[in-house]
Amino acid sequence: MANIVIVGAQWGDEAKGKIVDFLAQDAAMVVRYGGGNNAGHTVTVGSEEYKFHLIPAGILNPNILCVISDGVVVDPGVLVKELSGLKSRGVDFKNLKISASAHVILPYHCLQDDFQESRRGDSAIGTTGRGIGPAYSDKATRIGIRMGEFVDPARFEARLNTVLAEKNALFTKVYGAEPLDAGKILAEYSRYAAELKPYVQDIAGLVFEAAKTPSGVIFEGAQGTLLDLDLGTYPYVTSSHPIAGGACIGTGVGPTMIDAVIGVAKSYTTRVGKGVFPTELDNETGSYIREKGHEYGTTTGRPRRCGWLDIVVLRYSARVNGLSCLSLGHLDVLSGLDSVQIGVGYSTKSGETLDQLPSDLPFRTDIEPIYETLPGWSEDLSAIRSFENLPLNACNYVKRVEELAGIPIGTLSVGPAREQTILFNDVLERTIRKRLS
Ligand code: IMP
């Protein structure tokens, strides 16, 4: 094993949790490097299904350290609830660490998120409403409260009073709302702080040491490349850095310590919230994929927009993340379609063909996807464990995706369970393990 970043190669919800859980079995540590409880991972082990919002998916393995790092924004109420839910199912947290530098989401962030979204009207982003944007904004404006301060009662009270005075001025004067009560927030959040305090520490040295061991670190990304604040489809993005580079920013590990980057993609594309989506299927096929793939948000329950696989997006992801290989999932969902399509480029109204993602994509009204159509397959793939046993048309689809994207496929998923994974060991050896030699 090596130090591997697991990154969403599309607009999030690519089922990164499954591959993290799978690789975590051999790792020393799993670090969640960005985002907050806008994310949701579902991991299936045997007949048990676990849903995670903040806790790294590696927590199911009691032998590895699991870290919520500096780059994450933590809603303490959500984390406490997540911990108690998992504890009641026998999950052990002795190996959980929360960075003292991670920023805290407080009630005023969620309120601000709601006010900002309602004010945007038709140009609302479609955020998860979890206070993510305002929490990262406060970090950038340097008024954020970090976990280290949060679990220190005197410092938390002092900081809360200062910041709340500013937020209440905003709520009352700009939004015409009632001010929030510092005493109420303090009473509720001090309880969370006391519960979380044992897990909070400086984590930079810890991650660095684990990254030097032969077992290495899995850097668990949240959201996806196209939701990155700088490199995504701005402004319809989240406020953090889901890209592979975010693993360095969010954990304090230098780029030269990363050995490999695995991009996780679905065999089709989904997106939640507003924003450009060239290969979207606003029709029966889109609904078929949504229902068959259970494409409803883990966090918000919102129906996800569904569409064909977009190779332009994958090529872009391969470039900006420096992908070593691809982990292609949800192939089983495409079973039952007479034909399947792959978006291989965009054509513009002026007759141009684009095979790379244009930076002004969110505002382009003049582009249409160019599709390649392949024959579909009807067989249920969920019990198939080797590439050779897949129906010929499914094999051809996967090979064509690999060829068009220009990145080798390392794993293929035919269902949510750990064992529903087909490994391409030659690719994994070449792109992950060989880097140790
Ligand atoms: P925010 O992260 O709540 O501010 O939302 C900003 C945009 O990112 C919205 O379009 C959300 O739907 C999207 N988003 C945030 N987290 C996720 C995720 O985990 N999966 C998919 N979309 C997400």
Side-chain angles (χ1 to χ4, degrees), residues 325-328 402 407-412 421-425 427-428 431:
C325 68
L326 200 62
S327 183
L328 191 69
E402 187 175 60
I407 345 162
I409 294 176
T411 74
L412 189 62
T421 311
I422 296 170
L423 299 181
F424 296 90
N425 282 318
V427 174
L428 293 173
T431 57

Side-chain angles (χ1 to χ4, degrees), residues 29-32 54-56 59 65-76 79-80 83 93-104 146-148 150-151 192-204 206-207 250:
M29 178 185 275
V30 176
V31 188
R32 167 83 188 269
L54 281 161
I55 298 172
I59 200 74
L65 281 177
C66 281
V67 174
I68 296 175
S69 77
D70 314 11
V72 177
V73 284
V74 178
D75 184 323
L79 182 53
V80 164
L83 284 171
F93 291 105
K94 70 177 189 313
N95 287 337
L96 178 69
K97 311 282 173 203
I98 305 167
S99 170
S101 304
H103 280 248
V104 181
R146 306 205 290 181
M147 283 305 291
F150 176 63
V151 297
Y192 302 145
E195 277 205 51
L196 297 177
K197 190 170 180 164
Y199 305 105
V200 177
Q201 68 174 75
D202 181 345
I203 57 99
L206 205 66
V207 180

Side-chain angles (χ1 to χ4, degrees), residues 210-286:
K212 287 197 292 184
T213 66
S215 309
V217 174
I218 303 295
F219 295 88
E220 175 181 339
Q223 287 83 41
T225 301
L226 278 290
L227 288 176
D228 186 272
L229 180 60
D230 282 311
L231 293 164
T233 44
Y234 189 90
Y236 298 98
V237 293
T238 190
S239 302
S240 63
H241 292 293
I243 55 160
C248 296
I249 300 174
T251 65
V253 161
T256 51
M257 290 194 81
I258 307 290
D259 297 297
V261 182
I262 300 182
V264 187
K266 285 177 184 165
S267 301
Y268 47 90
T269 311
T270 63
R271 175 156 208 187
V272 201
K274 290 212 190 175
V276 64
F277 183 174
T279 60
E280 181 167 14
L281 292 165
D282 195 8
N283 59 17
E284 255 179 44
T285 310

Side-chain angles (χ1 to χ4, degrees), residues 81-352:
K81 199 164 158 214
E82 193 169 339
L83 284 171
S84 73
L86 290 168
K87 263 184 202 157
S88 68
R89 296 175 68 184
V91 178
D92 185 351
F93 291 105
K94 70 177 189 313
N95 287 337
L96 178 69
K97 311 282 173 203
I98 305 167
S99 170
S101 304
H103 280 248
V104 181
I105 299 182
L106 287 156
Y108 49 77
H109 292 125
C110 301
L111 201 59
Q112 201 177 334
D113 201 353
D114 285 347
F115 283 137
Q116 285 173 336
E117 278 287 87
S118 348
R119 281 236 165 168
R120 285 181 191 123
D122 282 350
S123 39
I125 290 163
T127 72
T128 58
R130 301 296 195 258
I132 306 295
Y136 279 111
S137 304
D138 281 4
K139 175 178 178 170
T141 6
R142 292 148 294 171
I143 58 160
I145 299 178
R146 306 205 290 181
M147 283 305 291
E149 294 173 297
F150 176 63
V151 297
D152 175 332
R155 280 171 73 198
F156 176 46
E157 184 171 359
R159 290 296 323 283
L160 180 70
N161 283 328
T162 312
V163 180
L164 199 59
E166 200 167 316
K167 295 289 176 182
N168 275 339
L170 175 76
F171 294 148
T172 53
K173 293 184 181 144
V174 176
Y175 297 120
E178 290 296 313
L180 294 184
D181 184 298
K184 266 196 196 153
I185 298 178
L186 206 57
E188 181 184 351
Y189 281 72
S190 298
R191 284 203 310 276
Y192 302 145
E195 277 205 51
L196 297 177
K197 190 170 180 164
Y199 305 105
V200 177
Q201 68 174 75
D202 181 345
I203 57 99
L206 205 66
V207 180
F208 182 68
E209 289 307 320
K212 287 197 292 184
T213 66
S215 309
V217 174
I218 303 295
F219 295 88
E220 175 181 339
Q223 287 83 41
T225 301
L226 278 290
L227 288 176
D228 186 272
L229 180 60
D230 282 311
L231 293 164
T233 44
Y234 189 90
Y236 298 98
V237 293
T238 190
S239 302
S240 63
H241 292 293
I243 55 160
C248 296
I249 300 174
T251 65
V253 161
T256 51
M257 290 194 81
I258 307 290
D259 297 297
V261 182
I262 300 182
V264 187
K266 285 177 184 165
S267 301
Y268 47 90
T269 311
T270 63
R271 175 156 208 187
V272 201
K274 290 212 190 175
V276 64
F277 183 174
T279 60
E280 181 167 14
L281 292 165
D282 195 8
N283 59 17
E284 255 179 44
T285 310
S287 305
Y288 178 86
I289 293 175
R290 184 175 310 110
E291 295 314 314
K292 188 134 189 262
H294 312 292
E295 294 295 355
Y296 291 87
T298 317
T299 297
T300 58
R302 287 187 288 179
R304 295 179 184 141
R305 299 157 65 192
C306 298
W308 296 121
L309 187 67
D310 188 336
I311 292 293
V312 180
V313 163
L314 283 194
R315 278 192 202 119
Y316 179 75
S317 274
R319 174 157 59 83
V320 300
N321 293 303
L323 294 188
S324 315
C325 68
L326 200 62
S327 183
L328 191 69
H330 293 69
L331 186 66
D332 52 305
V333 174
L334 295 183
S335 289
L337 295 167
D338 292 337
S339 60
V340 280
Q341 292 192 295
I342 306 176
V344 295
Y346 306 139
S347 65
T348 70
K349 280 191 182 137
S350 61
E352 224 187 324

